[in-house]
Amino acid sequence: MKVISYNLRKHRAVGELAHLVERHAADVLCLQEADTKDIPERIDGLRLADSTQRNRLGLAVYYRENTFRAVDVRMMALKKSLHDRVLKPAEERLLGVKLYDIDDGHEVVVASFHAAPLTALNSLRRHQIRTALAELQLMGDGLPTLMVGDYNYPVFKENLGQRVRDQGYELNLSDSRTYTRYRFVRGHYDFATSIGFEIDRVRTLPQGDSDHLPILVTARPLTGKATNLNAGSREGQDQR
């Protein structure tokens, strides 16, 4: 399963999507900072599952329609930063989709996530991440779950990784930095968080018109381990 996550930088990079999907044979495409009123229903064999509606710059998830069937969608507003309250760029910061694999007969959950900007505290972003992961578990309790997107978390990632592990998930960074706009805040911003997936690789793709570089996540769902996933998630919650 190949999943591309891309922050379009205020929709500027939308023209690159068809090429990205075709070149990397993506099965799922997760977008951030997309003008959801100006995105196509289909992109090179991928179908739009849904997009956020209350955002000035929103989220969208596409899936390969000859491989998957979308069976459930959930979008959610998370705890707001001051930036969100004043400028209102993003009301909904999580978009999750439950997909049914037509050939293998199992379900997975894939989500696009966009954390609060750097003007917010890391503690608020951790709260958003924790809430998002808990919400996705409610959406597909025990299902393999993969959340990708712009986490806006360039420093103290070790602390974030431990917090995520306490919830039963794993945090994966790509093989090179994903944000290049400003000299002093360059680094890894776009992550993959998963449970019930074997992450083979997270690769940073070449830069286009966005200040974020897209990432390509290659992952395999560990089906048949639902009981273990539930146990791991509960254990992490108990530790908190």
Side-chain angles (χ1 to χ4, degrees):
M1 183 179 184
K2 293 182 177 180
V3 180
I4 290 178
S5 175
Y6 198 9
N7 181 319
L8 300 182
R9 190 186 177 187
K10 300 178 182 179
H11 203 60
R12 295 184 187 183
V14 67
E16 304 167 18
L17 297 179
H19 175 71
L20 276 174
V21 170
E22 179 184 14
R23 180 172 182 180
H24 300 286
D27 300 299
V28 178
L29 174 66
C30 296
L31 303 179
Q32 304 89 44
E33 289 197 22
D35 180 351
T36 56
K37 296 179 181 179
D38 187 34
I39 55 176
E41 286 293 322
R42 287 176 171 80
I43 300 176
D44 199 63
L46 270 59
R47 179 175 182 175
L48 179 66
D50 211 338
S51 61
T52 53
Q53 303 301 316
R54 294 186 291 166
N55 295 10
R56 177 165 55 87
L57 296 169
L59 308 173
V61 175
Y62 290 80
Y63 64 94
R64 188 161 297 282
E65 58 183 337
N66 65 1
T67 304
F68 299 104
R69 185 171 72 245
V71 296
D72 192 15
V73 175
R74 182 173 298 186
M75 53 193 76
M76 184 179 180
L78 303 173
K79 186 176 181 180
K80 293 182 180 180
S81 65
L82 179 62
H83 181 89
D84 288 336
R85 296 180 187 279
V86 174
L87 300 179
K88 299 182 179 180
E91 179 73 17
E92 297 153 318
R93 290 192 171 273
L94 175 70
L95 174 61
V97 180
K98 185 189 291 186
L99 297 173
Y100 175 77
D101 189 307
I102 298 171
D103 292 332
D104 293 341
H106 63 258
E107 294 180 333
V108 298
V109 175
V110 180
S112 183
F113 170 75
H114 192 186
L118 295 179
T119 51
L121 297 174
N122 272 351
S123 58
L124 184 139
R125 280 185 286 275
R126 288 197 300 271
H127 184 281
Q128 292 178 332
I129 293 166
R130 182 172 67 249
T131 304
L133 295 177
E135 186 72 15
L136 292 176
Q137 280 299 101
L138 292 175
M139 185 179 185
D141 192 19
L143 293 180
T145 300
L146 175 65
M147 184 174 84
V148 297
D150 178 5
Y151 285 57
N152 273 321
Y153 212 101
V155 296
F156 306 119
K157 290 184 284 292
E158 295 80 4
N159 183 29
L160 175 61
Q162 184 58 54
R163 299 294 184 96
V164 167
R165 286 190 292 274
D166 288 345
Q167 246 179 303
Y169 288 76
E170 288 295 329
L171 182 71
N172 289 273
L173 276 63
S174 57
D175 54 5
S176 61
R177 66 189 184 186
T178 66
Y179 187 77
T180 62
R181 187 176 183 187
Y182 299 114
R183 178 182 301 177
F184 298 108
V185 291
R186 293 176 180 175
H188 288 81
Y189 282 61
D190 304 84
F191 304 155
T193 304
S194 64
I195 186 171
F197 274 94
E198 181 72 29
I199 305 297
D200 295 327
R201 187 180 182 187
V202 182
R203 181 158 64 99
T204 301
L205 301 178
Q207 186 165 14
D209 291 332
S210 175
D211 48 1
H212 286 258
L213 282 69
I215 61 172
L216 173 63
V217 182
T218 305
R220 292 177 289 115
L222 302 175
T223 56
K225 294 190 176 183
T227 302
N228 292 337
L229 298 187
N230 288 330
S233 179
R234 287 195 295 268
E235 181 181 353
Q237 293 171 2
D238 292 342
Q239 290 175 358
R240 296 199 312 277

